[in-house]
Amino acid sequence: MTSNAQKIINVKVSKPYDVIIGSGIIENVGKLVSQVVTTKKLALVTDDTVDGLYSQKVINLLKDSGFEVVKFAFLHGECSKNIDTYSKILQFLAENQFTRTDAIIALGGGVVGDMAGFASATYLRGIKYIQIPTTLLAQIDSSVGGKTAIDLPQGKNLVGAFYQPELVICDTDMLKTLPKSIFQDGMGEAVKYSLLDKRVFDLLLTDYDIVDLVYLCVDYKRMVVEKDEFEGGLRKLLNLGHTPAHGIERLSNYTIPHGNAVAMGLKIILKSSLNHGFIDSDLYQNAIKIVEDNVRQTACPYTIEQICNASLTDKKRSGDYITLIMVHGVGDCRPVKIEISNLWGYLD
Ligand code: NAD
Ligand code: GLY
């Protein structure tokens, strides 16, 4: 059933903005966008899959509110998150004579959001953008917090900027068209939040409403980015499971999607947390169950040695050290700085 009930989270960072979460709230897109921009000129950036599902509806709703909308759609998938597509978006904006007062709408998953966000951060040294995330991963993670990026052949997200959106609209009804595998991939990040925030852990044990899951994950992320917008310290907590995950993604040549790799990474971190005596076996078993119950593919096909070697180019590395996030309890995750040469020994 569709309803217009919504929850609002205000993210108080250098440029505060609202994240609006609810079922069916896309119907209000015209009014919501009008509240955060002065322009009538918008560029909607999306991928071909989301284009076929939602662009026309969103464009019609925006036009009903008096906006003029031009659209740029690119081939879906991580393979498009590169300099070539980024350059085409910039040229599209220039060809359509977008000025600094105009705005971009990012309609899609994390690939669209990261790339449209980076184009917004850099076109004319920065124009406004609004995130309309359409995957679970994008609703609970990538659309909030202002990390924008594109990939290089040498690695993921190697070029980017911290650049906050004007508004994030999470319509959970849009998740209904997600293939199950892509929804479950997003659950990898939800399970990560469950180890960081007991509210999410407890929710995952119930027959929950998806609006509540998105709300609690975004609320945890809000708390973190408000305290550490530019990832000087606390924000590193959000990288729980990500160091092994990045190694796993690289080893699979990015055929294992991000959320699944995070779930595999969480299992490695949980095992190491158990081995170091940070958690007891009851908590270990419960946490592993949450991971395996919620994510489809959690059996890791690589050894710890292979994963550690592949993680060494992780951009979270700083000199000869890397910061790992270890689990000490549900809602109690802590960083530990490890010498790169000792990573394998520490995790194995
Ligand atoms: P994605 O954007 O590639 O979307 C996955 C697939 O789902 C695509 O094929 C897309 O076309 C399709 N899709 C999207 N919405 C749909 C819908 N409602 N119905 C049917 N199909 C739909 O992938 P993703 O998992 O959303 O995002 C992954 C990206 O996010 C990666 O590039 C990753 O680096 C990035 N990321 C960024 C942050 C951040 O903080 N900026 C955080 C986590 C991940
Ligand atoms: N996805 C991790 C972060 O936003 O910091």
Side-chain angles (χ1 to χ4, degrees):
M1 199 184 78
T2 297
S3 90
N4 288 324
Q6 60 185 35
K7 293 176 185 255
I8 302 177
I9 293 176
N10 184 250
V11 186
K12 294 181 189 66
V13 284
S14 50
K15 184 185 65 179
Y17 56 96
D18 284 340
V19 181
I20 304 182
I21 303 156
S23 143
I25 59 171
I26 200 65
E27 300 296 334
N28 305 330
V29 65
K31 185 172 161 217
L32 292 170
V33 172
S34 304
Q35 288 166 354
V36 295
V37 299
T38 49
T39 184
K40 283 290 169 201
K41 191 166 167 182
L42 301 171
L44 184 135
V45 177
T46 190
D47 71 27
D48 57 343
T49 306
V50 179
D51 187 28
L53 291 165
Y54 296 112
S55 282
Q56 204 50 56
K57 176 172 183 159
V58 173
I59 289 172
N60 287 346
L61 287 164
L62 288 167
K63 285 188 171 165
D64 288 349
S65 290
F67 288 103
E68 174 200 330
V69 189
V70 290
K71 180 183 80 182
F72 183 92
F74 59 83
L75 181 68
H76 67 277
E78 190 71 31
C79 58
S80 289
K81 196 174 142 184
N82 54 34
I83 284 187
D84 186 40
T85 317
Y86 164 67
S87 163
K88 285 184 176 136
I89 296 171
L90 297 181
Q91 291 179 54
F92 175 80
L93 295 171
E95 277 160 13
N96 284 283
Q97 297 174 351
F98 269 65
T99 69
R100 236 184 224 162
T101 51
D102 300 324
I104 293 179
I105 307 277
L107 176 71
V111 166
V112 169
D114 277 15
M115 205 156 39
F118 186 52
S120 306
T122 46
Y123 180 72
L124 301 180
R125 301 197 181 89
I127 70 171
K128 291 181 174 186
Y129 76 114
I130 289 131
Q131 293 266 22
I132 306 182
T134 62
T135 63
L136 180 64
L137 183 143
Q139 293 198 355
I140 64 177
D141 191 356
S142 61
S143 64
V144 180
K147 277 190 183 175
T148 70
I150 56 170
D151 303 335
L152 292 181
Q154 288 77 7
K156 272 188 58 157
N157 298 328
L158 292 185
V159 183
F162 287 96
Y163 191 66
Q164 303 291 345
E166 301 300 313
L167 173 71
V168 183
I169 302 171
C170 299
D171 184 342
T172 52
D173 282 3
M174 286 177 153
L175 305 179
K176 290 177 183 165
T177 51
L178 278 178
K180 203 170 173 192
S181 61
I182 296 177
F183 182 86
Q184 285 208 339
D185 181 53
M187 284 303 294
E189 292 284 3
V191 168
K192 174 197 79 177
Y193 282 110
S194 78
L195 297 174
L196 293 165
D197 184 341
K198 189 165 183 315
R199 295 176 305 168
V200 182
F201 192 91
D202 291 343
L203 187 82
L204 287 183
L205 297 173
T206 67
D207 185 16
Y208 61 87
D209 183 329
I210 190 71
V211 172
D212 294 329
L213 179 64
V214 175
Y215 176 81
L216 286 183
C217 293
V218 171
D219 192 52
Y220 181 81
K221 187 158 185 181
R222 170 202 62 75
M223 184 274 290
V224 170
V225 298
E226 281 182 354
K227 289 186 177 148
D228 180 20
E229 183 174 351
F230 301 107
E231 204 171 31
L234 185 73
R235 189 165 179 169
K236 292 189 174 130
L237 287 182
L238 297 174
N239 298 327
L240 175 63
H242 279 57
T243 296
H246 288 151
I248 292 164
E249 284 180 276
R250 192 167 294 127
L251 284 167
S252 77
N253 205 14
Y254 300 97
T255 55
I256 297 180
H258 182 70
N260 277 350
V262 168
M264 294 173 192
L266 290 173
K267 286 174 75 174
I268 291 168
I269 294 293
L270 283 164
K271 187 74 198 302
S272 177
S273 298
L274 176 71
N275 291 345
H276 286 279
F278 301 152
I279 54 173
D280 62 25
S281 63
D282 278 358
L283 175 52
Y284 173 74
Q285 299 293 350
N286 288 340
I288 291 288
K289 184 165 171 11
I290 288 247
V291 178
E292 291 180 345
D293 283 353
N294 286 285
V295 185
R296 186 177 52 108
Q297 190 190 346
T298 67
C300 182
Y302 309 110
T303 64
I304 300 288
E305 184 182 11
Q306 287 174 314
I307 293 166
C308 289
N309 286 335
S311 299
L312 295 187
T313 53
D314 198 296
K315 67 182 180 313
K316 269 79 189 173
R317 177 179 171 172
S318 168
D320 291 334
Y321 290 86
I322 195 156
T323 301
L324 274 184
I325 308 300
M326 303 301 290
V327 181
H328 289 249
V330 173
D332 180 10
C333 296
R334 304 180 202 167
V336 56
K337 205 170 160 185
I338 296 167
E339 246 182 288
I340 291 283
S341 56
N342 193 28
L343 182 62
W344 178 25
Y346 192 86
L347 281 180
D348 202 19

